Amino acid sequence: MKSSSKHRYKTKASLHRSPLGTALLTVGLLSSLLPSTIQAASQVTDDIAPEAASSVTTKSLVTSKQFMVAAANPLATKAGYEVLQKGGSAIDALVAVQMMLGLVEPQSSGLGGGAFVVYYDAKTQKITTFDGRETAPQAATPELFQDATGKPLGFYNAVVGGRSVGTPGTVKLMGDLHKKYGKHSWKSLLKPAQKTAKEGFLVSPRLAGAIAKDKARLSRYPETKAYFFDENGAPLAVNTRLKNPAYAKTLKQLAKKGADSFYSGNIAKDIVKKVQGLSDNLGLLSLNDFQSYKVKERAATCLPYKQYDICGMGPPSSGAITVGQILGITQHFDLAAMGPKSAQAWQIIGDASRLAFADRGRYIADTDFVPMPQGLLDKDYLASRAKLIVPGQALTEVEAGTPEWKTPLALADDISIELPSTSHISIIDAEGNAVSVTTTIENGFGSRVMSNGFLLNNELTDFSFASFKNGYPIANRLEPGKRPRSSMSPTIVLKDGKPYLIVGSPGGSRIIGYVAKTLIAHLEWGMDIQSAINLPNMLNRFGTYDLEKGTPAESFRPSLEAMGFKVSIRDLNSGLQGIVVDSQTFRGGADPRREGIALGD
Ligand code: GLY
């Protein structure tokens, strides 16, 4: 077994070499989070990151020949590794990883949340995607997150409680995929997490830090408080052995009765009772929402790029389109010649990203409810967007463009808020099946409401709180049964039609920039996947250039300011996991900013 982590749970600051050639400083567990320069109202809230940076560990590139798995927690990676070692499929490994993540990284994803899967099937040589996103309750109205005067609620007033909870999709997604692509028994895949829940696991520094930081919100509901705090009311400390008998019981039931039992039996009933019976901020989920929940298979959204096809999740995720637009615009410039030390390269990437985010805010939502332009990834359209960029000078104005659209609709720009959280899993099995999965309960610790040993999501706050702006509807407004727009960007890059790179990240709407950076670093700048992940994060979504605090990215400040950007130095807490497939050798990397590892044989 080869591991990418030299230090499994390192809490002290450390130094490692960055690909830019200077020491990358570590970031403190609870470092300061509020930058001074912020633009739009949504960004003000977006800067209160609930999943704060934890310590940075040194990770080295992992190589293997037969299979590989990379996930956000060593226990979860190990669960997937053991399945693959016994001949399990990528989907088998995914089930084991997800069940373990829901236990050991409960703040980020789990049975109470939703996920997107990009899947390459070696037998049919086809790529497809599966949408296990949460749905808005049938009883929900567009005004769910507005007060009596129609004013949007404060973010955490909306998040904490039952109001924000959408119908969870992750369990059905795992069950449906396993029925289609599983080789091992469903029961055997749930066993490792069931055993760990019963025997206990050691609370990681990242989880302990997150609990301490969220103390007030996590104390609001008794079941949640009892789980995350000790008998004296103190947040669980690092290395506390934490048992979760309720989670073990839930997995035992799912193992026996199957994933669908989650949606029709006592678990669904408990969740409905819980969200409708809280002491405050009641939710609207009903049994009917559970019984009618469906996982949707959707065609992958792909961008031809050099000799590759960059494929990912289309709507309701904005991921693949926005990542695709960034890459489709920047490929009109010679980024390879400029290299990662060029401020001009970052100006072009930043402005391409701003243009892509402008389209995202105007046009992208759940296309089962809202029509979307056909031409968002059209070659000529992206060429016209690239022409707006002036090398060496930041764009002064950025607006959504006018891509081809057969049935145009007047829409207002979106003002939804997405905070960094979530988890990513990349897997390739011995037969060449590959899966890229981003999975979430939305905010760190989701709605803070717990049932049956897991946290319930707050995914509905990924909708725009406002429904209209200046009389025009917002595409991502809340509607009953609709899936909130996501930024999750699970990606599989194909080369000659076969998986070449499997990658993704958590991080709210910054996911898009984290993934785009990694793709550019590897495909344009030739960095191996670990170095591409390590490369300091530099992102621009809405005008302000975010540079990763304590890293060489800070040195770009003067040049970017001279070009006209506002700059904010801040934690940029990606959690990338990537695998590159190169002539039968797998090379894996995990993000040093979080606790993940890659393992393979
Ligand atoms: N809730 C994070 C996302 O879906 O982008």
Side-chain angles (χ1 to χ4, degrees):
M1 188 197 288
K2 290 174 188 160
S3 159
S4 65
S5 178
K6 289 195 188 128
H7 312 287
R8 283 184 58 179
Y9 287 140
K10 196 171 171 185
T11 49
K12 288 245 169 71
S14 63
L15 291 171
H16 71 91
R17 304 300 298 176
S18 86
L20 291 183
T22 39
L24 172 61
L25 283 171
T26 60
V27 191
L29 188 62
L30 295 173
S31 43
S32 140
L33 293 159
L34 292 172
S36 52
T37 317
I38 33 184
Q39 273 213 325
S42 63
Q43 285 172 273
V44 175
T45 319
D46 200 7
D47 285 324
I48 310 163
E51 276 214 66
S54 46
S55 59
V56 175
T57 51
T58 306
K59 310 249 166 109
S60 350
L61 190 70
V62 180
T63 57
S64 70
K65 291 281 180 198
Q66 298 175 62
F67 59 79
M68 189 168 280
V69 47
N73 179 285
L75 292 172
T77 302
K78 190 164 163 274
Y81 169 87
E82 282 168 0
V83 170
L84 293 169
Q85 206 183 33
K86 288 184 208 135
S89 69
I91 293 297
D92 287 333
L94 168 64
V95 174
V97 170
Q98 177 64 82
M99 297 301 166
M100 190 65 87
L101 278 180
L103 177 69
V104 299
E105 197 200 32
Q107 71 273 30
S108 301
S109 78
L111 308 187
F116 292 125
V117 167
V118 182
Y119 180 69
Y120 174 85
D121 188 56
K123 207 191 285 170
T124 59
Q125 303 193 353
K126 292 221 163 81
I127 190 156
T128 187
T129 74
F130 295 90
D131 168 359
R133 185 74 163 163
E134 297 88 336
T135 54
Q138 287 302 331
T141 63
E143 295 80 33
L144 185 69
F145 297 122
Q146 297 165 21
D147 67 15
T149 66
K151 206 169 133 242
L153 297 181
F155 184 68
Y156 283 111
N157 293 338
V159 166
V160 181
R163 188 191 294 255
S164 62
V165 183
T167 324
T170 299
V171 177
K172 184 141 183 65
L173 180 65
M174 294 300 120
D176 285 10
L177 287 175
H178 178 259
K179 276 183 209 145
K180 231 173 148 127
Y181 304 112
K183 280 166 72 181
H184 287 186
S185 76
W186 170 252
K187 198 173 162 183
S188 72
L189 302 173
L190 272 52
K191 211 163 210 159
Q194 200 181 323
K195 185 166 181 282
T196 309
K198 220 189 271 174
E199 293 173 359
F201 64 96
L202 299 182
V203 169
S204 75
R206 184 167 176 78
L207 175 54
I211 298 169
K213 183 171 161 41
D214 203 55
K215 192 172 175 191
R217 285 185 284 264
L218 278 178
S219 304
R220 188 143 140 194
Y221 301 114
E223 194 173 339
T224 317
K225 188 173 179 193
Y227 186 62
F228 289 108
F229 297 84
D230 67 18
E231 56 281 3
N232 302 317
L236 293 179
V238 178
N239 284 339
T240 306
R241 182 163 291 278
L242 181 58
K243 295 183 182 172
N244 190 338
Y247 194 77
K249 191 171 161 217
T250 297
L251 292 187
K252 190 173 173 193
Q253 179 183 319
L254 295 179
K256 199 165 154 209
K257 298 188 180 162
D260 287 347
S261 72
F262 184 93
Y263 294 83
S264 55
N266 62 302
I267 299 175
K269 280 187 197 141
D270 285 349
I271 294 174
V272 167
K273 199 165 152 208
K274 194 65 174 276
V275 301
Q276 292 191 4
L278 291 168
S279 49
D280 57 13
N281 221 8
L282 303 187
L284 296 165
L285 266 188
S286 71
L287 266 186
N288 187 36
D289 293 313
F290 277 86
Q291 281 156 2
S292 55
Y293 184 81
K294 285 195 171 43
V295 169
K296 298 193 176 186
E297 181 169 3
R298 302 181 189 272
T301 294
C302 298
L303 175 89
Y305 184 86
K306 300 169 85 170
Q307 69 269 45
Y308 309 101
D309 286 293
I310 300 176
C311 295
M313 193 73 218
S317 184
S318 60
I321 294 175
T322 315
V323 169
Q325 282 203 344
I326 296 171
L327 277 280
I329 293 171
T330 56
Q331 75 173 330
H332 290 273
F333 301 87
D334 196 352
L335 291 185
M338 292 178 208
K341 291 184 184 169
S342 157
Q344 190 166 300
W346 289 105
Q347 174 247 325
I348 290 164
I349 295 166
D351 274 343
S353 172
R354 290 167 69 198
L355 290 165
F357 268 85
D359 276 2
R360 170 186 176 274
R362 173 84 53 93
Y363 298 120
I364 308 177
D366 182 350
T367 42
D368 292 344
F369 285 73
V370 183
M372 188 183 77
Q374 288 75 34
L376 285 166
L377 286 180
D378 179 79
K379 205 165 154 245
D380 293 338
Y381 173 64
L382 294 178
S384 73
R385 296 292 271 171
K387 280 202 186 112
L388 299 174
I389 294 178
V390 185
Q393 200 183 309
L395 289 171
T396 47
E397 293 270 317
V398 172
E399 277 191 19
T402 48
E404 187 204 335
W405 198 356
K406 294 194 177 94
T407 49
L409 184 72
L411 291 169
D413 293 340
D414 177 76
I415 42 175
S416 64
I417 300 157
E418 287 169 58
L419 297 186
S421 53
T422 310
S423 202
H424 182 81
I425 307 159
S426 295
I427 305 175
I428 186 156
D429 69 20
E431 287 167 13
N433 301 299
V435 68
S436 184
V437 184
T438 313
T439 174
T440 188
I441 55 168
E442 214 307 279
N443 197 234
F445 300 101
S447 63
R448 278 70 173 177
V449 180
M450 238 179 149
S451 172
N452 288 280
F454 54 88
L455 285 156
L456 303 178
N457 71 83
N458 66 297
E459 217 69 53
L460 302 186
T461 59
D462 271 357
F463 282 116
S464 168
F465 285 18
S467 327
F468 290 85
K469 197 167 139 194
N470 304 328
Y472 292 105
I474 291 169
N476 187 34
R477 66 191 175 280
L478 199 153
E479 296 176 77
K482 190 172 172 181
R483 296 170 190 226
R485 186 192 62 206
S486 171
S487 299
M488 294 195 286
S489 310
T491 302
I492 297 184
V493 177
L494 301 176
K495 188 175 168 191
D496 303 323
K498 295 220 168 77
Y500 171 71
L501 169 57
I502 308 154
V503 71
S505 179
S509 59
R510 291 192 174 89
I511 290 173
I512 289 162
Y514 297 146
V515 171
K517 169 210 81 169
T518 309
L519 292 173
I520 290 169
H522 181 70
L523 302 177
E524 293 293 338
W525 296 332
M527 292 180 187
D528 66 61
I529 188 64
Q530 186 61 61
S531 304
I533 289 171
N534 292 353
L535 185 69
N537 288 318
M538 298 172 62
L539 314 173
N540 199 324
R541 297 165 301 164
F542 310 113
T544 298
Y545 222 123
D546 293 332
L547 307 180
E548 188 174 1
K549 192 158 116 188
T551 75
E554 288 191 16
S555 67
F556 286 91
R557 179 175 209 149
S559 346
L560 291 172
E561 282 179 342
M563 291 183 205
F565 289 108
K566 285 184 186 170
V567 169
S568 164
I569 309 282
R570 50 167 300 144
D571 289 332
L572 291 171
N573 184 30
S574 53
L576 291 143
Q577 331 285 349
I579 301 172
V580 169
V581 183
D582 200 359
S583 343
Q584 281 315 300
T585 300
F586 304 136
R587 296 178 213 279
D591 205 314
R593 300 161 186 88
R594 298 202 186 202
E595 295 169 342
I597 58 166
L599 286 175
D601 266 358

